[in-house]
Amino acid sequence: MTIGITKNNQILMSSLFKSFGGSNLYVLMITFLSVSTLTFLIAHILLVKNEIKVMHDYSYEILERTDKAAQQIQDVLLLADAKNHSSCAKEDLGGLRSILSHYYLIEDAGIIENYKVACTAKIGVLEEPKFINPALFVQSAIEKIDVLLSKDELFYAGEKRTIFKYKNIFITIAPNLYIGIDFPNEYTGAVIMSSVRKIVFREHYNLKLKRVNMNTEQIGFLSQYVPFPNRIVSVKNCSIRYTYCVNAVDYKIGVYGLHNDILMLLISLSILLSYTIFISFSYFKSTKETMKYRLMLAIKKDGFYPLYQPKINLETGSVIGVEALARWEDDKLGFVPPDEFIELAEDMKIIQKVTKSITKLVLDESKELLHNNKAFTVSINLSVQDLAGPDFLNFLEDEVDRHGICRQQIILEITERSATESDDLSNSVHDFYEKGYQISLDDFGTGFCNLSWLSKLESNEIKIDRMFTHSISTKSIGLVTLDSICILLKNFDMKTVFEGIETQEEADYILSKSPNAIGQGWLFAKAMTMVELKEFINRKAQ
C-alpha cells in the first residue's frame, strides 16, 4: 500500500467503503450480537436495580400501613378491656362505638362468647351468633392478641373478615386498609407473614398472580441480575415492633417485564449502536493506517533509528565525522522517506519529540568514537522548532553530560526549509553556540539558506546542497554558481561540506576549488549502521 501525506483522506474513504465488503459482514454480525447482548444485559441490570428499589418502596409502604393498623388494633382492644366493655350490653356496645370513632383503620368491634360472635358495635346483638372454629385461632404478630383467619363470610354476604381477639373482645379491620397502595406493575404482589412461623396473615396481590405462590424467599444476587427467564425480584421488610414481615415479589423482571413496543425500541437502539460502533471501528482501523497515526505510534514506541553517513576530508581521505540521519521503517507503511515524516512532524508540531528520540540513540551509539577521537564530530539535524525554546537545549545538555561528550564534537545542522518560522532564530542559535556546540547551515545556496544566514547566524560550518555538486558534470549554470560560492567562502573562517558527491570527477573538481573541503556522498559511502561505520573507519585507517 502506497501512502502519501496528501492521500490520507482518499485512504480513509477507501478503507470505509471496503469495510462493507463480504468479509466484514461477519464482523458486523458479531458486532451486532455482542452489542445487543451487552445492551440487553445493561438494560436488564438497570431495570432490575430500579425494580428492587420499587419493590422495596412497595413493601415498605405496606409495612408502614400494617404497622399503623397493628397499633390501632392493639390500642382498641386494650382500651376496650381497660374500660371493661366486655358484654353485649347497650352501654358496652356504645362504649365500643365511641372508641372506634377515633380509629379509622378499625371497621368494627364486638364480643365473643364460647367461640361465638354474640354482638358487634355496628350491628348490635346478632339474632343468631356466628360460630368461630377455635382450630382457626392462631397467635398474631401482636403480643397477647389472637387472630382468626376466616375462611367464610361472617357478617356481610360475599365478604370475609379477619378477627383479632383479646380475651372476649374482638375487632375487625377496615376492608379498605390498603387502599391507595397500587401494584408497581401487573406482575407484582406481596404477602404479610409471620417472621417466626410459616403463617401468611394477608395477601396483597394482582389478579394475574392469584395462582402464583407468593410465599417466596429473597433471591440471591446472581439470580436477580443474570438475564435468565423465570427469575424474580423478592424484597422483604420486617416490622421492628411486631413479629411479621412484608415480602414483595415481582415475577417478571428486567427485560422480561417490558412491553413489546419497548422491546422493539431496545432492539432498534442495539442496531443503531452496533452500526455506529462498526463505522467507528472501520474509521479507526483506516485511521491507523495513516501517516499521522503511525507517526504518533512510532514516537510512543521509539520507532525511529539512526544511520550514519561519513564526512570525508577530501585532501587526506580520512573520516573526520558523521552525519546522523533519522530513519523510520513502519510495520504497516514500510520504509518512509525522511523528507515525508520530518515535514509531517513539523506540521504536527511534534518534530522535537522525533529529534529527541534520534539524539538519544545517536549519543548512545557514538560515544565510544567520540571518546576515542576528540577531533571526531557527529552532526545532528535540527528543525527551527527544536531551537524555538529552552527545552531541547536543556535536554541536549543533560544527554551530553550523561555521556561525558565534549560539546565541540556535536555539530547541530539547521535545516533551511523552516527558517522563516521563527524571528528569534538568531538568539536561539546563539544560545547553542555559547554552550560550545558547533553550528552548521544546511543546504546552503537553496531556499532561504543564503548570504542573509551568514550575516545573522553564528556558524562553524556551511553545507553546499547536492544540486550544485551534481552540476559539475553537466556544465550548467549551477556550476557557475558553485564556483562563485567557493570563491565567496574562502573569505569565511568556517568548514565547507559538499553533499551528494557520487563521482571522482566531482570530488576532484571540488578539491581544486576548495582545498580544505569536506565531502559526503555515495562515492565514499552510503548511510550505514554504527556497526558498519566502525568497520568502515577501521578500513579507511588501514
Side-chain angles (χ1 to χ4, degrees), residues 12-29:
L12 281 175
M13 292 303 298
S14 175
S15 299
L16 283 175
F17 281 121
K18 288 179 180 178
S19 69
F20 292 98
S23 61
N24 286 280
L25 183 60
Y26 177 75
V27 176
L28 180 59
M29 292 175 61

Side-chain angles (χ1 to χ4, degrees), residues 49-50 52 66 87 123 138 151 213 263 296 460 465 528:
K49 285 176 68 69
N50 180 68
I52 290 175
T66 306
S87 72
I123 298 175
V138 295
K151 291 185 178 181
N213 177 22
L263 280 174
M296 292 297 295
N460 311 89
D465 188 79
M528 59 189 73

Side-chain angles (χ1 to χ4, degrees), residues 9-276:
N9 290 336
Q10 292 93 324
I11 292 167
L12 281 175
M13 292 303 298
S14 175
S15 299
L16 283 175
F17 281 121
K18 288 179 180 178
S19 69
F20 292 98
S23 61
N24 286 280
L25 183 60
Y26 177 75
V27 176
L28 180 59
M29 292 175 61
I30 294 297
T31 303
F32 172 70
L33 291 175
S34 301
V35 170
S36 298
T37 302
L38 185 61
T39 301
F40 274 79
L41 178 61
I42 293 173
H44 184 79
I45 291 174
L46 293 177
L47 287 169
V48 170
K49 285 176 68 69
N50 180 68
E51 286 165 3
I52 290 175
K53 180 182 181 305
V54 169
M55 297 306 293
H56 174 81
D57 294 343
Y58 172 56
S59 173
Y60 185 77
E61 192 175 5
I62 294 175
L63 177 70
E64 190 175 39
R65 188 76 60 86
T66 306
D67 266 359
K68 287 182 180 179
Q71 180 64 56
Q72 292 191 21
I73 292 169
Q74 192 172 34
D75 289 348
V76 169
L77 289 174
L78 295 180
L79 185 58
D81 179 65
K83 291 187 176 184
N84 199 26
H85 298 316
S86 56
S87 72
C88 290
K90 184 176 180 181
E91 58 272 17
D92 285 340
L93 293 180
L96 289 176
R97 282 193 292 273
S98 176
I99 293 173
L100 291 178
S101 65
H102 300 287
Y103 296 91
Y104 66 96
L105 295 179
I106 307 302
E107 178 190 35
D108 204 350
I111 306 301
I112 290 182
E113 297 175 346
N114 297 321
Y115 299 106
K116 291 181 180 180
V117 176
C119 59
T120 76
K122 290 186 176 181
I123 298 175
V125 179
L126 300 179
E127 293 181 2
E128 184 179 346
K130 295 286 187 178
F131 176 74
I132 303 296
N133 187 350
L136 298 178
F137 275 105
V138 295
Q139 186 176 351
S140 73
I142 309 170
E143 187 178 2
K144 298 180 181 179
I145 294 176
D146 294 325
V147 62
L148 168 64
L149 305 178
S150 62
K151 291 185 178 181
D152 302 313
E153 58 189 43
L154 288 177
F155 310 116
Y156 306 100
E159 293 187 10
K160 297 181 181 180
R161 292 291 183 271
T162 299
I163 288 179
F164 293 87
K165 172 181 172 294
Y166 178 70
K167 297 182 179 177
N168 69 329
I169 304 171
F170 77 90
I171 62 97
T172 58
I173 57 176
N176 61 350
L177 171 62
Y178 296 103
I179 193 169
I181 301 178
D182 297 324
F183 303 106
N185 61 63
E186 59 185 342
Y187 301 107
T188 57
V191 292
I192 304 170
M193 57 189 300
S194 171
S195 59
V196 293
R197 300 181 307 279
K198 292 184 178 180
I199 300 175
V200 176
F201 295 135
R202 189 178 181 107
E203 296 179 349
H204 189 262
Y205 56 81
N206 191 291
L207 292 177
K208 289 186 180 247
L209 297 177
K210 276 189 173 181
R211 297 183 179 179
V212 177
N213 177 22
M214 295 294 297
N215 185 12
T216 307
E217 297 297 329
Q218 286 182 293
I219 308 301
F221 173 84
L222 288 179
S223 184
Q224 287 180 338
Y225 286 99
V226 176
F228 292 144
N230 302 320
R231 293 296 188 265
I232 68 171
V233 162
S234 177
V235 176
K236 180 185 290 186
N237 277 308
C238 294
S239 174
I240 298 174
R241 299 180 59 187
Y242 307 105
T243 57
Y244 71 88
C245 297
V246 178
N247 191 25
V249 182
D250 187 343
Y251 277 87
K252 283 200 175 181
I253 65 173
V255 294
Y256 296 100
L258 295 176
H259 293 290
N260 291 337
D261 53 346
I262 303 296
L263 280 174
M264 289 304 298
L265 180 62
L266 198 58
I267 292 172
S268 300
L269 178 63
S270 299
I271 294 173
L272 179 61
L273 190 58
S274 301
Y275 183 74
T276 302

Side-chain angles (χ1 to χ4, degrees), residues 285-527:
K285 184 179 178 182
S286 60
T287 302
K288 285 180 66 176
E289 308 303 322
T290 65
M291 183 83 74
K292 287 184 179 180
Y293 176 86
R294 304 304 300 180
L295 183 60
M296 292 297 295
L297 194 62
I299 290 173
K300 290 180 182 179
K301 296 186 176 181
D302 293 325
F304 305 98
Y305 65 93
L307 292 181
Y308 303 90
Q309 185 162 40
K311 297 168 70 173
I312 308 297
N313 185 312
L314 295 184
E315 184 176 18
T316 64
S318 60
V319 182
I320 63 166
V322 290
E323 178 185 0
L325 304 172
R327 294 292 184 263
W328 176 32
E329 190 158 352
D330 184 73
D331 294 339
K332 300 288 185 181
L333 306 178
F335 177 76
V336 183
D339 287 345
E340 287 190 21
F341 75 79
I342 289 175
E343 182 178 349
L344 180 59
E346 288 176 339
D347 292 342
M348 296 172 64
K349 308 298 182 185
I350 57 172
I351 186 62
Q352 196 172 108
K353 294 181 179 180
V354 178
T355 306
K356 285 182 178 181
S357 177
I358 289 295
T359 301
K360 275 188 175 183
L361 290 172
V362 168
L363 296 182
D364 283 341
E365 293 182 355
S366 62
K367 62 183 178 182
E368 182 181 346
L369 290 176
L370 296 173
H371 289 164
N372 293 338
N373 183 356
K374 296 300 181 180
F376 195 85
T377 62
V378 172
S379 298
I380 300 172
N381 289 282
L382 296 187
S383 166
V384 170
Q385 291 180 31
D386 297 323
L387 301 170
D391 184 56
F392 185 78
L393 177 57
N394 295 335
F395 161 79
L396 186 59
E397 286 283 276
D398 292 341
E399 288 297 312
V400 168
D401 289 339
R402 184 168 68 88
H403 292 91
I405 296 172
C406 177
R407 286 163 176 76
Q408 277 293 119
Q409 293 180 273
I410 304 299
I411 300 176
L412 304 176
E413 293 190 11
I414 304 173
T415 55
E416 60 82 22
R417 63 172 173 267
S418 303
T420 57
E421 292 180 4
S422 174
D423 296 331
D424 299 325
L425 180 61
S426 179
N427 294 332
S428 300
V429 170
H430 177 75
D431 293 338
F432 285 87
Y433 190 85
E434 283 293 304
K435 292 289 186 180
Y437 300 101
Q438 296 192 59
I439 302 298
S440 176
L441 305 182
D442 197 9
D443 300 330
F444 185 81
T446 63
F448 296 98
C449 186
N450 50 38
L451 293 177
S452 65
W453 271 38
L454 296 179
S455 62
K456 292 181 180 179
L457 305 181
E458 298 167 288
S459 56
N460 311 89
E461 177 182 278
I462 291 178
K463 299 189 73 174
I464 309 301
D465 188 79
R466 67 182 66 242
M467 64 175 289
F468 298 108
T469 303
H470 294 164
S471 69
I472 294 173
S473 58
T474 63
K475 310 300 181 182
S476 64
I477 188 66
L479 181 60
V480 177
T481 306
L482 176 63
D483 291 344
S484 301
I485 291 174
C486 290
I487 294 171
L488 175 66
L489 294 181
K490 285 181 180 180
N491 299 319
F492 291 90
D493 183 23
M494 59 180 65
K495 296 175 288 185
T496 306
V497 180
F498 292 82
E499 297 181 301
I501 300 176
E502 297 181 358
T503 65
Q504 190 61 46
E505 178 189 3
E506 293 170 348
D508 292 340
Y509 187 88
I510 292 171
L511 188 59
S512 69
K513 298 294 182 179
S514 181
N516 297 320
I518 300 168
Q520 280 183 255
W522 287 5
L523 174 64
F524 313 109
K526 295 182 179 181

